[in-house]
Amino acid sequence: MSELRRDPILRRWVIIAPERAADVLPRRGEPPAASGEAAGPCPFCPGSEALNPDEITVVRDGTAWVVRVTPDKKPLLHIEGDLNRRAAGMFDLMNAIGAHELVADVPDHTLAWADFPVPQMVHLLEVYRDRTRDLRRDPRFRFVLVLKNHGAVWSRYGHSHSHVVATPFTP
């Protein structure tokens, strides 16, 4: 389970998520994962909605979605619970309370931000604005960040997506 620790030397909070180590680091004796798509269907493509948690919000154009937001399947931070700040040796600790949402930026698997039509980018930016406003209403959260996933080594899918993360501290 994730936790928040305050680095006593640099005096900043860090997220410790041991359950996600396998997503970033190769197992002992294995070469690093080859770049490219993960096996199986892309969970961000239309028709694969059931591979994700329930939608937090969705923007539709008629019956088809144009931007979808779901909780991340392996969140760094969890919205349930309280902070429970405490000391453990030289560290200050808190429960990993916050929000970690995944945004499917566009239905088309092959489009990059530079290729988005203007209306698509407007929809996406409005979703970021609305999610940020909603998360800032929670008094436990002090900071909201939007992260664009593009070519990250830990990303398993080439489909354009991003993350909205709310933390109980300001980085």
Short mmCIF file of all heavy atoms in Angstrom, two decimals, residues 10 27 33 44 55 57 128 156 167:
data_model
loop_
_atom_site.label_atom_id
_atom_site.label_comp_id
_atom_site.label_asym_id
_atom_site.label_seq_id
_atom_site.Cartn_x
_atom_site.Cartn_y
_atom_site.Cartn_z
N LEU A 10 15.83 16.75 2.54
CA LEU A 10 15.35 17.75 1.58
C LEU A 10 14.04 18.41 2.02
O LEU A 10 13.58 19.35 1.39
CB LEU A 10 15.17 17.10 0.21
CG LEU A 10 16.46 16.55 -0.40
CD1 LEU A 10 16.16 15.85 -1.73
CD2 LEU A 10 17.48 17.64 -0.59
N ARG A 27 12.21 -7.09 -13.73
CA ARG A 27 12.54 -8.09 -12.72
C ARG A 27 13.98 -8.52 -12.89
O ARG A 27 14.55 -8.45 -13.98
CB ARG A 27 11.61 -9.30 -12.87
CG ARG A 27 10.19 -8.95 -12.50
CD ARG A 27 9.35 -10.20 -12.41
NE ARG A 27 8.02 -9.81 -11.99
CZ ARG A 27 6.92 -10.16 -12.61
NH1 ARG A 27 6.97 -10.94 -13.65
NH2 ARG A 27 5.77 -9.74 -12.17
N ALA A 33 11.74 -3.75 -20.59
CA ALA A 33 10.69 -3.97 -21.58
C ALA A 33 11.00 -3.20 -22.85
O ALA A 33 11.50 -2.08 -22.81
CB ALA A 33 9.35 -3.52 -21.02
N PHE A 44 -7.87 2.44 -23.54
CA PHE A 44 -8.32 3.81 -23.77
C PHE A 44 -9.08 3.96 -25.08
O PHE A 44 -9.59 5.03 -25.36
CB PHE A 44 -7.12 4.77 -23.77
CG PHE A 44 -6.22 4.59 -22.58
CD1 PHE A 44 -4.86 4.51 -22.73
CD2 PHE A 44 -6.74 4.49 -21.30
CE1 PHE A 44 -4.02 4.34 -21.65
CE2 PHE A 44 -5.91 4.32 -20.20
CZ PHE A 44 -4.55 4.25 -20.38
N GLU A 55 -16.51 5.53 -14.90
CA GLU A 55 -16.17 6.91 -15.28
C GLU A 55 -16.43 7.88 -14.14
O GLU A 55 -17.43 7.78 -13.43
CB GLU A 55 -17.01 7.35 -16.47
CG GLU A 55 -16.69 6.62 -17.74
CD GLU A 55 -17.69 6.90 -18.86
OE1 GLU A 55 -18.75 7.51 -18.59
OE2 GLU A 55 -17.40 6.50 -19.99
N THR A 57 -16.10 11.25 -15.08
CA THR A 57 -16.79 12.19 -15.96
C THR A 57 -16.48 11.81 -17.40
O THR A 57 -15.48 11.15 -17.68
CB THR A 57 -16.39 13.66 -15.67
OG1 THR A 57 -17.26 14.53 -16.38
CG2 THR A 57 -14.97 13.95 -16.06
N TYR A 128 -9.81 19.23 -17.73
CA TYR A 128 -8.77 19.52 -16.75
C TYR A 128 -9.24 20.59 -15.76
O TYR A 128 -9.06 20.47 -14.55
CB TYR A 128 -7.49 20.01 -17.43
CG TYR A 128 -6.72 19.00 -18.23
CD1 TYR A 128 -5.88 19.42 -19.24
CD2 TYR A 128 -6.82 17.63 -18.00
CE1 TYR A 128 -5.13 18.52 -19.99
CE2 TYR A 128 -6.09 16.72 -18.75
CZ TYR A 128 -5.25 17.17 -19.74
OH TYR A 128 -4.51 16.28 -20.48
N ARG A 156 2.53 1.96 -20.67
CA ARG A 156 2.36 0.73 -21.44
C ARG A 156 1.59 0.95 -22.73
O ARG A 156 1.52 0.06 -23.56
CB ARG A 156 1.62 -0.29 -20.58
CG ARG A 156 2.41 -0.70 -19.36
CD ARG A 156 1.64 -1.63 -18.46
NE ARG A 156 1.18 -2.78 -19.21
CZ ARG A 156 0.09 -3.47 -18.90
NH1 ARG A 156 -0.65 -3.12 -17.88
NH2 ARG A 156 -0.26 -4.51 -19.62
N THR A 167 -2.85 16.11 -4.24
CA THR A 167 -2.05 15.70 -3.09
C THR A 167 -2.39 16.55 -1.86
O THR A 167 -2.85 17.69 -2.00
CB THR A 167 -0.54 15.84 -3.38
OG1 THR A 167 -0.23 17.21 -3.59
CG2 THR A 167 -0.13 15.01 -4.57
#
